[in-house]
């Protein structure tokens, strides 16, 4: 069958590989003149930054795509497991090294915070349990097929439902389990891994640290952009045709079936259409003649981000690949993001420095800082004002905490913000992860991976089930491909 994929985000490339490996003829149409969508790169004045995602978990989902295409992954794509997941800093001078190994991490908590590490060890065990109990239903299968609710995994989850924390929010579960305010803040931060609010998102999301600690995060050789490029080359090698600078205008349907797409007045016919584009603009712009699932499209969006790419003319040995500088009041910071739609005066700052692993990403003796804060989605706020104010507050905060004049160290700069995330990838409101997980029903309110009304129309990527982030996007591609028969 002829398959058309709209968009070459990571899920679009993955679904193209899967369909080509099944023997279908696959064409990808991408609005930009490069592949990868959010998973792209920026190069300037001798520095290289991964422009979007910086944290890579569950790398075996990438390996799986090479094996499916009959290739040995290590011959095309390599990564290193991180010994340190993140360095955490607080204004009072507390510094915790987030060792990937849960035992070492618990020991660090004991020595740095002077408390018993047992609750931390238990928390990691519970994270593993929550993941094992939910993955077969919420992550690896369509939530919109009857067969999911008759599977063994579903009954396993039901039998353990009270241990999954579906009702209390993440913060409540963390406060009860961990007590120490710094530990609670550290574990609440995992809500941001899918752009959610720990004071609203269900406690089951406390499974997220499992990816970073029990399984372990990784870093790809060549940086995050190597994920995009290695999969793009794999797709081309197995016959996928890519068309760049080709924004799709319409999904064509006939008699309740998708029959192709239209681009600039040109028609391309197909037996299967997969949209990797954000589901909101897919309905609003490409399917204007169809009734849109309004309840799903109105579902609250995840947070967006403000990122400064700074070339820094010295090195900081106290920092690692991933670093967090916490705010003084996390609850208020999230109220600003999700309730007030603005930015707290003391935001939590994340710094990713890929030159720690890839020295060639910065000139000798320098570092490439990717400095990010979580911000609300674009609802027409005065972004120029917000960005200027946030920039000076971030610089003041980092200068205070690192005891150095950070502004004087910046030799080159670029930035990304909700408006540009939206315009460069068509992500509605500039959300990083599609819909948020801020309600107990969120998982059920994400759009399905297929259309209930139009045959042969499928959806993959961060705005549909099972959600955003590289691993889940790759799973969305797997769910879609599993629904389509081999040629
Ligand atoms: P997208 O990347 O959203 O791409 C969609 C593609 O569709 C784009 O290339 C777009 O141009 C194309 N398109 C849109 N409309 C059309 C059209 N009409 N015709 C043709 N093409 C079209 N995830 C992690 O796992 N770890 C992280 O650390 C992390 N950090 C992030 C930091 C930032 C700053 C951002 C922006 C995201 C981050 N994410 C992270 C989230 C992750 O990047 C996304 O979930 C994932 O990359 C989304 O992939 P996708 O397949 O949904 O497609």
């Amino acid at each position: 069958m002829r398959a058309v994929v709209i968009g070459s985000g990571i899920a679009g490339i993955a679904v193209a590989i899967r369909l080509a490996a099944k023997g279908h003829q696959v064409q990808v149409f991408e609005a930009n003149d490069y592949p990868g969508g959010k998973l792209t790169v920026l190069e300037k004045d001798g520095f290289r930054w991964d422009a979007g995602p910086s944290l890579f978990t569950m790398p075996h989902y990438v390996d799986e795509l090479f094996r499916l295409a009959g290739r040995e992954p290590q011959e095309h794509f390599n990564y290193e497991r991180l010994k340190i997941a993140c360095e955490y800093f607080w204004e009072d001078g507390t510094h915790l090294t987030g060792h990937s190994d849960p035992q070492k991490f618990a020991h660090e908590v004991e020595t740095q915070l002077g408390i018993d590490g047992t609750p931390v060890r238990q928390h990691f065990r519970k994270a593993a349990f929550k993941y094992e109990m939910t993955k077969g239903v919420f992550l690896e299968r369509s939530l919109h097929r009857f067969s999911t609710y008759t599977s063994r995994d579903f009954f396993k989850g039901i039998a353990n439902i009270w241990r999954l924390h579906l009702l209390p929010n993440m913060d409540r579960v963390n406060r009860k389990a961990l007590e120490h305010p710094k530990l609670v803040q550290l574990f609440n931060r995992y809500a941001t891994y899918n752009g959610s609010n720990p004071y609203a998102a269900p406690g089951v999301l406390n499974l997220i640290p499992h990816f970073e600690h029990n399984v372990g995060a990784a870093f790809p050789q060549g940086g995050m952009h190597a994920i995009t490029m290695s999969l793009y080359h794999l797709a081309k090698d197995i016959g996928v045709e890519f068309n760049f600078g080709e924004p799709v205008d319409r999904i064509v349907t006939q008699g309740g079936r998708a029959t192709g797409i239209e681009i600039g007045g040109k028609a391309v016919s197909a037996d299967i259409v997969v949209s990797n584009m954000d589901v909101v603009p897919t309905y609003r712009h490409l399917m204007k003649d169809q009734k849109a699932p309004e309840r799903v499209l109105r579902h609250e969006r995840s947070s967006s981000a403000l990122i400064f790419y700074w070339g820094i003319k010295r090195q900081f040995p106290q920092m690692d690949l991933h670093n967090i500088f916490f705010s003084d009041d996390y609850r208020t910071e999230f109220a600003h993001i999700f309730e007030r739609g603005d930015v707290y005066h003391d935001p939590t700052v994340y710094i990713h420095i890929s030159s720690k692993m890839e020295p060639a990403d910065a000139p000798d003796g320098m570092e490439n800082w990717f400095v990010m804060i979580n911000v609300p989605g674009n609802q027409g706020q005065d972004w120029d004002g917000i960005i200027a104010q946030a920039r000076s507050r971030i610089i003041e905060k980092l200068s205070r905490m690192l005891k150095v004049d950070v502004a004087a160290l910046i030799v080159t700069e670029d930035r990304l913000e909700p408006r540009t995330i939206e315009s460069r990838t068509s992500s509605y409101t500039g959300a990083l992860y599609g819909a948020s997980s801020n309600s107990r029903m969120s998982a059920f309110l994400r759009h399905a991976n297929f259309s209930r009304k139009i045959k042969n129309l499928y959806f993959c990527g961060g705005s549909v089930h099972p959600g955003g982030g590289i691993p889940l996007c790759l799973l969305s591609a797997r769910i879609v491909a599993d629904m389509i028969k081999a040629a």
Side-chain angles (χ1 to χ4, degrees), residues 26-207:
V26 188
Q27 288 177 294
V28 178
F29 291 88
E30 166 57 56
N32 290 327
D33 54 11
Y34 55 86
K38 298 183 181 79
L39 193 37
T40 185
V41 71
L42 169 70
E43 289 181 57
K44 195 172 171 182
D45 300 330
F47 292 86
R48 191 202 74 90
W49 296 267
D50 287 306
S54 54
L55 176 67
F56 184 35
T57 54
M58 309 302 256
H60 56 278
Y61 293 143
V62 174
D63 292 343
E64 190 175 291
L65 292 166
F66 283 97
R67 293 208 178 90
L68 198 78
R71 309 285 197 277
E72 200 43 56
Q74 287 74 24
E75 286 171 19
H76 307 271
F77 176 70
N78 283 286
Y79 50 86
E80 199 179 311
R81 291 282 180 182
L82 302 183
K83 290 201 172 69
I84 295 173
C86 190
E87 297 286 355
Y88 298 100
F89 301 87
W90 282 267
E91 289 265 1
D92 66 1
T94 308
H95 172 194
L96 264 187
T97 295
H99 297 281
S100 300
D101 176 2
Q103 297 301 333
K104 273 193 174 167
F105 187 87
H107 182 66
E108 173 81 0
V109 165
E110 284 170 346
T111 51
Q112 298 304 321
L113 300 183
I115 54 170
D116 180 13
T118 311
V120 171
R121 290 188 192 91
Q122 282 170 346
H123 209 57
F124 285 129
R125 278 200 293 275
K126 285 181 189 165
F129 177 79
K130 285 180 176 130
Y131 171 69
E132 289 303 330
M133 287 301 123
T134 53
K135 67 173 181 180
V137 176
F138 287 97
L139 301 178
E140 295 177 344
R141 283 199 178 89
S142 169
L143 264 187
H144 306 83
R145 292 278 205 228
F146 182 68
S147 55
T148 301
Y149 301 94
T150 53
S151 66
R152 268 185 70 174
D153 287 331
F154 178 73
F155 289 106
K156 210 165 67 183
I158 289 288
N160 289 285
I161 198 155
W162 296 112
R163 296 167 71 193
L164 299 180
H165 295 134
L166 299 176
L167 297 180
N169 66 40
M170 287 178 82
D171 173 65
R172 212 173 126 201
V173 175
N174 286 337
R175 269 188 293 125
K176 195 162 171 219
L178 300 160
E179 290 178 5
H180 193 288
K182 286 193 170 70
L183 277 185
V184 173
Q185 185 173 27
L186 191 154
F187 282 93
N188 277 355
R189 193 181 76 90
Y190 284 98
T192 66
Y193 284 33
N194 67 9
S196 301
N197 175 359
Y199 304 95
V204 65
L205 290 188
N206 283 321
L207 66 79

Side-chain angles (χ1 to χ4, degrees), residues 4-10 12-13 27-38 228 232 241-248 261 263 276-277 423-426:
V4 157
V5 179
I6 305 169
S8 68
I10 197 64
I13 301 175
Q27 288 177 294
V28 178
F29 291 88
E30 166 57 56
N32 290 327
D33 54 11
Y34 55 86
K38 298 183 181 79
T228 293
Y232 166 63
E241 178 194 308
F242 283 86
N243 303 272
F244 292 109
E246 299 258 18
V248 173
I261 54 167
I263 305 173
N276 169 226
M277 181 182 173
S423 62
R424 287 179 199 169
T425 58
S426 296

